[in-house]
Amino acid sequence: MLFWHVPAPNEAMLISGSKRQAQDTQFRIVTGHGSFVLPIKQKARMLSLALREAEIIEDCVTQQGIRLNVRAVTVFKVGDDAVSIANAARRFLAEQDRMQELVGRIFAGHLRSIIGGLTVEQIIRERDRVAQEVKAGSHSEMEKLGIVVDALQIQEINDATGYINNLAAPHAAAVASQARIAQAKADQEATEREQQAAALKFEYERDTAIKRAGFLAETEQSNARAAQAGPLAQARASQEVIEEQTALAQREAQLAAQRLEAEVRRPADAEAYRQRTLAEAARDQAKFEADGSAYAERTLAQAQADANSVRAASLKDGNQELIAANRIVENLPALTEAASRGIAGANVTVLNGTDGVNEMAASLVGQGMAILNSLQSGGGTPNAKQNQGPNGKGATHLHDGHRADH
């Protein structure tokens, strides 16, 4: 409406000329809602309650006499209460654009005062303390102006003499040294990690190459086995055939050996044994004949010697029986020779060698001697008795009679 005025949310409407005032002022303050303004009789003006910023750049001298250039920023606004709005309206309503300048000058004075009581080290290390002291020192003045300070920050401190740089030089050197050490450690760790990564990479590549080689080897081996499966099976079959042929040849050789053993060797051994046995029999036969002939000759010689002795004795004593025996003895060699020829021509097996031959010859001679003894004892007695003389002895002509009897 034409007479209805509404302030913005960050504005306060000041209506002058009204007789009704809620506050102890000459004007009415309206915020947050609208109000009628009678023309000619009333007048409405707006006071901004928006946030404002003032930059402070001031040369200050510290307690040590060192000149510093300080740059600070303050943020402020008109208070929301009626008293603050009234105080600000009375002072800045016509000069609202100069509010930042005026507030900045006030804060600059307080800033010089606060820094003058501090050292450079305190200012650098305790900037919040400086800001709080500046705010506290200007609080009463800001309250009279209806200003509320939201924030005060010291942004920059410059030193034309180089004091701050010299003050920071040892720390800067230490920090730089630590930075270089840290950088060196970082580079060393980075190098070690790069080496470890490279080693892991090479190890992985090596393992990969080994596995790839193993896979290729297994593949080639499988291919080789597959390619050799046919020839290998054929070779095994040929080997089995050769083994069977070899076994057959061995069995044939064994059969031939057995056949040779049965048909040749054993008959040959039997024939050799037969020939050896016949030869041994012929040798024993010849030895038997030789031993028999020798023994017969020895016995005959002994018998002849004995006969000659007996004959001599009988001739000497006139023993007719001995004369008869002498005839037998004279024919004994012929009998013995006939007996030996009979033995030689006989198929006689001698079991005990020479002893058996000697026993046989002795048996023959013994038989001859038995015949001689028999003749001596009985066979020749009658003739002897007939030829005895009166004294029982033989006559001296027995020798002629012996020749005639013979």
Side-chain angles (χ1 to χ4, degrees), residues 83-95:
V83 177
S84 297
I85 294 173
N87 291 336
R90 291 188 182 100
R91 291 169 177 82
F92 302 111
L93 184 59
E95 297 178 351

Side-chain angles (χ1 to χ4, degrees), residues 147-392:
I147 302 298
V148 177
V149 179
D150 289 341
L152 176 64
Q153 294 292 334
I154 297 175
Q155 293 183 340
E156 187 177 357
I157 300 175
N158 294 324
D159 177 19
T161 62
Y163 181 84
I164 297 177
N165 294 331
N166 295 330
L167 184 65
H171 182 68
V175 171
S177 176
Q178 293 178 358
R180 289 193 298 270
I181 293 173
Q183 185 64 35
K185 290 183 178 179
D187 294 340
Q188 182 179 0
E189 292 178 358
T191 303
E192 291 178 354
R193 291 180 180 178
E194 289 177 356
Q195 291 177 354
Q196 292 176 358
L200 292 175
K201 180 180 178 181
F202 292 150
E203 184 177 359
Y204 176 76
E205 292 178 353
R206 181 199 62 188
D207 295 340
T208 303
I210 292 174
K211 290 182 179 179
R212 184 181 296 110
F215 292 152
L216 292 176
E218 291 179 358
T219 302
E220 293 178 355
Q221 186 176 5
S222 299
N223 294 334
R225 284 199 298 266
Q228 294 176 357
L232 183 61
Q234 185 176 1
R236 288 178 179 173
S238 301
Q239 182 178 2
E240 292 178 356
V241 172
I242 293 172
E243 290 177 355
E244 291 295 332
Q245 292 178 352
T246 303
L248 179 59
Q250 290 178 353
R251 289 194 294 271
E252 291 178 353
Q254 292 176 358
L255 182 59
Q258 293 176 359
R259 187 181 294 111
L260 180 63
E261 178 75 18
E263 295 179 356
V264 178
R265 183 176 177 180
R266 290 184 180 178
D269 291 342
E271 181 64 22
Y273 180 76
R274 188 180 70 82
Q275 295 295 334
R276 186 169 59 254
T277 303
L278 293 177
E280 290 178 356
R283 181 195 63 192
D284 294 340
Q285 182 69 26
K287 185 176 180 180
F288 172 73
E289 292 178 358
D291 292 341
S293 298
Y295 187 79
E297 291 177 358
R298 288 196 304 271
T299 304
L300 182 58
Q302 184 66 35
Q304 288 179 353
D306 293 340
N308 290 332
S309 298
V310 173
R311 184 185 304 169
S314 64
L315 292 177
K316 180 178 180 181
D317 296 334
N319 193 348
Q320 297 297 324
E321 291 88 355
L322 293 177
I323 293 172
N326 188 25
R327 300 296 185 185
I328 296 173
V329 169
E330 289 177 352
N331 293 320
L332 186 58
L335 294 174
T336 302
E337 182 178 0
S340 63
R341 285 196 303 268
I343 292 173
N347 188 7
V348 180
T349 300
V350 180
L351 299 176
N352 54 352
T354 305
D355 294 336
V357 173
N358 293 334
E359 290 177 1
M360 185 176 292
S363 177
L364 294 175
V365 174
Q367 291 179 4
M369 293 302 296
I371 296 171
L372 178 60
N373 292 329
S374 178
L375 292 175
Q376 289 178 354
S377 62
T381 302
N383 293 330
K385 288 180 179 181
Q386 291 177 2
N387 295 324
Q388 287 180 351
N391 55 0

Side-chain angles (χ1 to χ4, degrees), residues 140-151:
S140 60
E141 296 178 358
M142 294 295 109
E143 186 177 3
K144 291 179 181 179
L145 297 175
I147 302 298
V148 177
V149 179
D150 289 341

